[in-house]
Amino acid sequence: MEATYEVPKLPSSQLKIVLLYLDLIKVFNLEEVEKLFMDDFVQSTAPSSLHVPSRTKEEDLAFLKGLSETLEGRHLEVTDSVGQITIYDIVESPGKAWVHRTLTGSLKLLLHGEPPKGKAFTVECIYLFTLVGHLGFHKIKAITDFVDAGAFKEMNGGN
């Protein structure tokens, strides 16, 4: 699949928030990420058969902080040698933004308690951002991550 998405010259205010989130998460700027979330923010992963529990705002920020500490202050690498994020499309409607992407790389980090395997992976997913706001200012109320269950299980050691 070839990447086809190009950021519009005049992105909507909600798209600006989604793109800002995607940029901030790469460098683990959690103070700024926190400002983008509603107080009742929820992050969830689907399908539910993966048994990944939903996280509140505080839990998600703690998860991201733990991941950042695992990286010992390094940025989330999205280069060809470690991993590459490809965005294929972003579709918007009022209060919603769908981001279709893949993450390709190799497991060089502790992931879900499993030791690094160095095994190559490609995981395709669609993020559904639910946004609240008006007059050009939005916050993220929820992110639902719809993942390729087979690839996700394989990436996590078949669990």
Side-chain angles (χ1 to χ4, degrees), residues 19-37:
L19 295 171
L20 178 59
Y21 170 83
L22 294 171
D23 285 342
L24 291 172
I25 215 70
K26 287 183 219 174
V27 296
F28 294 104
N29 186 337
L30 302 182
E31 288 180 16
E32 292 301 313
V33 167
E34 183 175 11
K35 293 175 186 177
L36 301 179
F37 291 165

Side-chain angles (χ1 to χ4, degrees), residues 7-18:
V7 176
K9 290 179 183 171
L10 297 172
S12 70
S13 59
Q14 71 178 22
L15 180 57
K16 287 178 186 177
I17 295 298
V18 169

